[in-house]
PDB file of all heavy atoms in Angstrom:
ATOM      1  N   HIS A 586     -25.394 -52.272  10.523  1.00  0.00           N
ATOM      2  CA  HIS A 586     -25.618 -50.877  10.889  1.00  0.00           C
ATOM      3  C   HIS A 586     -25.631 -49.962   9.675  1.00  0.00           C
ATOM      4  O   HIS A 586     -25.681 -48.748   9.803  1.00  0.00           O
ATOM      5  CB  HIS A 586     -24.552 -50.412  11.872  1.00  0.00           C
ATOM      6  CG  HIS A 586     -24.657 -51.085  13.199  1.00  0.00           C
ATOM      7  ND1 HIS A 586     -25.757 -50.923  14.000  1.00  0.00           N
ATOM      8  CD2 HIS A 586     -23.838 -51.940  13.847  1.00  0.00           C
ATOM      9  CE1 HIS A 586     -25.592 -51.658  15.099  1.00  0.00           C
ATOM     10  NE2 HIS A 586     -24.441 -52.280  15.018  1.00  0.00           N
ATOM     11  N   ALA A 587     -25.586 -50.573   8.497  1.00  0.00           N
ATOM     12  CA  ALA A 587     -25.462 -49.786   7.271  1.00  0.00           C
ATOM     13  C   ALA A 587     -26.673 -48.877   7.060  1.00  0.00           C
ATOM     14  O   ALA A 587     -26.574 -47.844   6.410  1.00  0.00           O
ATOM     15  CB  ALA A 587     -25.280 -50.710   6.084  1.00  0.00           C
ATOM     16  N   CYS A 588     -27.828 -49.258   7.603  1.00  0.00           N
ATOM     17  CA  CYS A 588     -29.005 -48.412   7.441  1.00  0.00           C
ATOM     18  C   CYS A 588     -29.102 -47.382   8.540  1.00  0.00           C
ATOM     19  O   CYS A 588     -28.915 -46.198   8.331  1.00  0.00           O
ATOM     20  CB  CYS A 588     -30.267 -49.256   7.504  1.00  0.00           C
ATOM     21  SG  CYS A 588     -30.770 -49.839   5.919  1.00  0.00           S
ATOM     22  N   LEU A 589     -29.378 -47.890   9.736  1.00  0.00           N
ATOM     23  CA  LEU A 589     -29.808 -46.988  10.790  1.00  0.00           C
ATOM     24  C   LEU A 589     -28.742 -46.135  11.402  1.00  0.00           C
ATOM     25  O   LEU A 589     -28.827 -44.921  11.388  1.00  0.00           O
ATOM     26  CB  LEU A 589     -30.438 -47.837  11.883  1.00  0.00           C
ATOM     27  CG  LEU A 589     -31.546 -48.612  11.256  1.00  0.00           C
ATOM     28  CD1 LEU A 589     -32.094 -49.586  12.218  1.00  0.00           C
ATOM     29  CD2 LEU A 589     -32.580 -47.641  10.800  1.00  0.00           C
ATOM     30  N   HIS A 590     -27.760 -46.771  11.960  1.00  0.00           N
ATOM     31  CA  HIS A 590     -26.722 -46.008  12.643  1.00  0.00           C
ATOM     32  C   HIS A 590     -26.107 -44.990  11.686  1.00  0.00           C
ATOM     33  O   HIS A 590     -25.900 -43.836  12.033  1.00  0.00           O
ATOM     34  CB  HIS A 590     -25.663 -46.949  13.192  1.00  0.00           C
ATOM     35  CG  HIS A 590     -24.395 -46.274  13.559  1.00  0.00           C
ATOM     36  ND1 HIS A 590     -24.334 -45.318  14.537  1.00  0.00           N
ATOM     37  CD2 HIS A 590     -23.146 -46.363  13.036  1.00  0.00           C
ATOM     38  CE1 HIS A 590     -23.088 -44.883  14.622  1.00  0.00           C
ATOM     39  NE2 HIS A 590     -22.355 -45.486  13.719  1.00  0.00           N
ATOM     40  N   LEU A 591     -25.847 -45.434  10.489  1.00  0.00           N
ATOM     41  CA  LEU A 591     -25.254 -44.541   9.502  1.00  0.00           C
ATOM     42  C   LEU A 591     -26.188 -43.384   9.162  1.00  0.00           C
ATOM     43  O   LEU A 591     -25.770 -42.239   9.051  1.00  0.00           O
ATOM     44  CB  LEU A 591     -24.933 -45.334   8.226  1.00  0.00           C
ATOM     45  CG  LEU A 591     -23.469 -45.490   7.878  1.00  0.00           C
ATOM     46  CD1 LEU A 591     -22.644 -45.936   9.050  1.00  0.00           C
ATOM     47  CD2 LEU A 591     -23.291 -46.464   6.733  1.00  0.00           C
ATOM     48  N   LEU A 592     -27.444 -43.705   9.018  1.00  0.00           N
ATOM     49  CA  LEU A 592     -28.427 -42.686   8.669  1.00  0.00           C
ATOM     50  C   LEU A 592     -28.569 -41.666   9.808  1.00  0.00           C
ATOM     51  O   LEU A 592     -28.546 -40.459   9.579  1.00  0.00           O
ATOM     52  CB  LEU A 592     -29.771 -43.357   8.397  1.00  0.00           C
ATOM     53  CG  LEU A 592     -30.781 -42.529   7.633  1.00  0.00           C
ATOM     54  CD1 LEU A 592     -30.338 -42.356   6.192  1.00  0.00           C
ATOM     55  CD2 LEU A 592     -32.143 -43.173   7.676  1.00  0.00           C
ATOM     56  N   TYR A 593     -28.677 -42.174  11.015  1.00  0.00           N
ATOM     57  CA  TYR A 593     -28.834 -41.290  12.161  1.00  0.00           C
ATOM     58  C   TYR A 593     -27.614 -40.392  12.342  1.00  0.00           C
ATOM     59  O   TYR A 593     -27.735 -39.206  12.630  1.00  0.00           O
ATOM     60  CB  TYR A 593     -29.068 -42.100  13.443  1.00  0.00           C
ATOM     61  CG  TYR A 593     -30.395 -42.819  13.489  1.00  0.00           C
ATOM     62  CD1 TYR A 593     -30.528 -44.028  14.157  1.00  0.00           C
ATOM     63  CD2 TYR A 593     -31.518 -42.290  12.862  1.00  0.00           C
ATOM     64  CE1 TYR A 593     -31.747 -44.690  14.210  1.00  0.00           C
ATOM     65  CE2 TYR A 593     -32.739 -42.948  12.912  1.00  0.00           C
ATOM     66  CZ  TYR A 593     -32.845 -44.151  13.587  1.00  0.00           C
ATOM     67  OH  TYR A 593     -34.038 -44.808  13.636  1.00  0.00           O
ATOM     68  N   SER A 594     -26.436 -40.989  12.195  1.00  0.00           N
ATOM     69  CA  SER A 594     -25.251 -40.162  12.423  1.00  0.00           C
ATOM     70  C   SER A 594     -25.066 -39.151  11.288  1.00  0.00           C
ATOM     71  O   SER A 594     -24.555 -38.060  11.501  1.00  0.00           O
ATOM     72  CB  SER A 594     -23.998 -41.020  12.631  1.00  0.00           C
ATOM     73  OG  SER A 594     -23.872 -41.997  11.648  1.00  0.00           O
ATOM     74  N   ARG A 595     -25.517 -39.511  10.104  1.00  0.00           N
ATOM     75  CA  ARG A 595     -25.466 -38.539   9.007  1.00  0.00           C
ATOM     76  C   ARG A 595     -26.429 -37.384   9.300  1.00  0.00           C
ATOM     77  O   ARG A 595     -26.118 -36.220   9.065  1.00  0.00           O
ATOM     78  CB  ARG A 595     -25.858 -39.217   7.687  1.00  0.00           C
ATOM     79  CG  ARG A 595     -24.846 -40.258   7.203  1.00  0.00           C
ATOM     80  CD  ARG A 595     -25.281 -40.887   5.895  1.00  0.00           C
ATOM     81  NE  ARG A 595     -25.388 -39.902   4.850  1.00  0.00           N
ATOM     82  CZ  ARG A 595     -26.323 -39.912   3.888  1.00  0.00           C
ATOM     83  NH1 ARG A 595     -27.232 -40.860   3.866  1.00  0.00           N
ATOM     84  NH2 ARG A 595     -26.333 -38.977   2.997  1.00  0.00           N
ATOM     85  N   PHE A 596     -27.577 -37.741   9.826  1.00  0.00           N
ATOM     86  CA  PHE A 596     -28.584 -36.745  10.171  1.00  0.00           C
ATOM     87  C   PHE A 596     -28.043 -35.780  11.234  1.00  0.00           C
ATOM     88  O   PHE A 596     -28.108 -34.555  11.083  1.00  0.00           O
ATOM     89  CB  PHE A 596     -29.838 -37.477  10.658  1.00  0.00           C
ATOM     90  CG  PHE A 596     -30.849 -36.642  11.403  1.00  0.00           C
ATOM     91  CD1 PHE A 596     -31.325 -35.455  10.881  1.00  0.00           C
ATOM     92  CD2 PHE A 596     -31.352 -37.073  12.626  1.00  0.00           C
ATOM     93  CE1 PHE A 596     -32.281 -34.701  11.560  1.00  0.00           C
ATOM     94  CE2 PHE A 596     -32.295 -36.342  13.313  1.00  0.00           C
ATOM     95  CZ  PHE A 596     -32.753 -35.149  12.785  1.00  0.00           C
ATOM     96  N   ILE A 597     -27.469 -36.332  12.291  1.00  0.00           N
ATOM     97  CA  ILE A 597     -26.941 -35.489  13.366  1.00  0.00           C
ATOM     98  C   ILE A 597     -25.826 -34.584  12.835  1.00  0.00           C
ATOM     99  O   ILE A 597     -25.729 -33.410  13.195  1.00  0.00           O
ATOM    100  CB  ILE A 597     -26.435 -36.366  14.543  1.00  0.00           C
ATOM    101  CG1 ILE A 597     -27.594 -37.159  15.174  1.00  0.00           C
ATOM    102  CG2 ILE A 597     -25.721 -35.519  15.595  1.00  0.00           C
ATOM    103  CD1 ILE A 597     -28.607 -36.339  15.933  1.00  0.00           C
ATOM    104  N   THR A 598     -25.005 -35.137  11.959  1.00  0.00           N
ATOM    105  CA  THR A 598     -23.910 -34.336  11.401  1.00  0.00           C
ATOM    106  C   THR A 598     -24.454 -33.162  10.592  1.00  0.00           C
ATOM    107  O   THR A 598     -23.971 -32.040  10.693  1.00  0.00           O
ATOM    108  CB  THR A 598     -23.001 -35.228  10.539  1.00  0.00           C
ATOM    109  OG1 THR A 598     -22.570 -36.340  11.316  1.00  0.00           O
ATOM    110  CG2 THR A 598     -21.788 -34.462  10.051  1.00  0.00           C
ATOM    111  N   MET A 599     -25.479 -33.428   9.803  1.00  0.00           N
ATOM    112  CA  MET A 599     -26.105 -32.350   9.034  1.00  0.00           C
ATOM    113  C   MET A 599     -26.691 -31.290   9.975  1.00  0.00           C
ATOM    114  O   MET A 599     -26.608 -30.092   9.712  1.00  0.00           O
ATOM    115  CB  MET A 599     -27.226 -32.903   8.159  1.00  0.00           C
ATOM    116  CG  MET A 599     -26.697 -33.653   6.970  1.00  0.00           C
ATOM    117  SD  MET A 599     -28.038 -34.438   6.056  1.00  0.00           S
ATOM    118  CE  MET A 599     -27.041 -35.399   4.905  1.00  0.00           C
ATOM    119  N   PHE A 600     -27.248 -31.777  11.041  1.00  0.00           N
ATOM    120  CA  PHE A 600     -27.820 -30.864  12.022  1.00  0.00           C
ATOM    121  C   PHE A 600     -26.725 -29.976  12.639  1.00  0.00           C
ATOM    122  O   PHE A 600     -26.896 -28.769  12.768  1.00  0.00           O
ATOM    123  CB  PHE A 600     -28.556 -31.675  13.102  1.00  0.00           C
ATOM    124  CG  PHE A 600     -29.140 -30.842  14.199  1.00  0.00           C
ATOM    125  CD1 PHE A 600     -30.126 -29.902  13.935  1.00  0.00           C
ATOM    126  CD2 PHE A 600     -28.703 -30.996  15.514  1.00  0.00           C
ATOM    127  CE1 PHE A 600     -30.669 -29.136  14.954  1.00  0.00           C
ATOM    128  CE2 PHE A 600     -29.235 -30.237  16.537  1.00  0.00           C
ATOM    129  CZ  PHE A 600     -30.218 -29.297  16.256  1.00  0.00           C
ATOM    130  N   PHE A 601     -25.591 -30.575  12.970  1.00  0.00           N
ATOM    131  CA  PHE A 601     -24.465 -29.799  13.506  1.00  0.00           C
ATOM    132  C   PHE A 601     -24.034 -28.731  12.509  1.00  0.00           C
ATOM    133  O   PHE A 601     -23.690 -27.620  12.881  1.00  0.00           O
ATOM    134  CB  PHE A 601     -23.272 -30.702  13.815  1.00  0.00           C
ATOM    135  CG  PHE A 601     -23.433 -31.543  15.059  1.00  0.00           C
ATOM    136  CD1 PHE A 601     -22.623 -32.655  15.277  1.00  0.00           C
ATOM    137  CD2 PHE A 601     -24.385 -31.225  16.014  1.00  0.00           C
ATOM    138  CE1 PHE A 601     -22.759 -33.430  16.415  1.00  0.00           C
ATOM    139  CE2 PHE A 601     -24.529 -31.998  17.170  1.00  0.00           C
ATOM    140  CZ  PHE A 601     -23.710 -33.109  17.358  1.00  0.00           C
ATOM    141  N   LYS A 602     -24.061 -29.122  11.242  1.00  0.00           N
ATOM    142  CA  LYS A 602     -23.665 -28.141  10.235  1.00  0.00           C
ATOM    143  C   LYS A 602     -24.665 -26.987  10.223  1.00  0.00           C
ATOM    144  O   LYS A 602     -24.278 -25.820  10.149  1.00  0.00           O
ATOM    145  CB  LYS A 602     -23.593 -28.785   8.857  1.00  0.00           C
ATOM    146  CG  LYS A 602     -22.943 -27.830   7.882  1.00  0.00           C
ATOM    147  CD  LYS A 602     -23.104 -28.223   6.456  1.00  0.00           C
ATOM    148  CE  LYS A 602     -22.490 -27.133   5.592  1.00  0.00           C
ATOM    149  NZ  LYS A 602     -22.990 -27.194   4.228  1.00  0.00           N
ATOM    150  N   ASP A 603     -25.929 -27.330  10.316  1.00  0.00           N
ATOM    151  CA  ASP A 603     -26.953 -26.285  10.295  1.00  0.00           C
ATOM    152  C   ASP A 603     -26.890 -25.388  11.525  1.00  0.00           C
ATOM    153  O   ASP A 603     -27.306 -24.239  11.475  1.00  0.00           O
ATOM    154  CB  ASP A 603     -28.351 -26.925  10.182  1.00  0.00           C
ATOM    155  CG  ASP A 603     -28.538 -27.594   8.833  1.00  0.00           C
ATOM    156  OD1 ASP A 603     -27.677 -27.389   7.947  1.00  0.00           O
ATOM    157  OD2 ASP A 603     -29.524 -28.322   8.647  1.00  0.00           O
ATOM    158  N   LEU A 604     -26.339 -25.933  12.615  1.00  0.00           N
ATOM    159  CA  LEU A 604     -26.158 -25.107  13.801  1.00  0.00           C
ATOM    160  C   LEU A 604     -24.920 -24.229  13.670  1.00  0.00           C
ATOM    161  O   LEU A 604     -24.627 -23.423  14.540  1.00  0.00           O
ATOM    162  CB  LEU A 604     -26.000 -25.997  15.042  1.00  0.00           C
ATOM    163  CG  LEU A 604     -27.227 -26.729  15.582  1.00  0.00           C
ATOM    164  CD1 LEU A 604     -26.835 -27.565  16.799  1.00  0.00           C
ATOM    165  CD2 LEU A 604     -28.341 -25.768  15.966  1.00  0.00           C
TER     166      LEU A 604
END
Side-chain angles (χ1 to χ4, degrees):
Chain A
H586 293 297
C588 270
L589 303 173
H590 164 62
L591 246 48
L592 198 70
Y593 292 148
S594 49
R595 293 180 61 217
F596 164 51
I597 297 291
T598 306
M599 286 174 188
F600 178 63
F601 285 162
K602 190 193 176 200
D603 293 350
L604 288 179

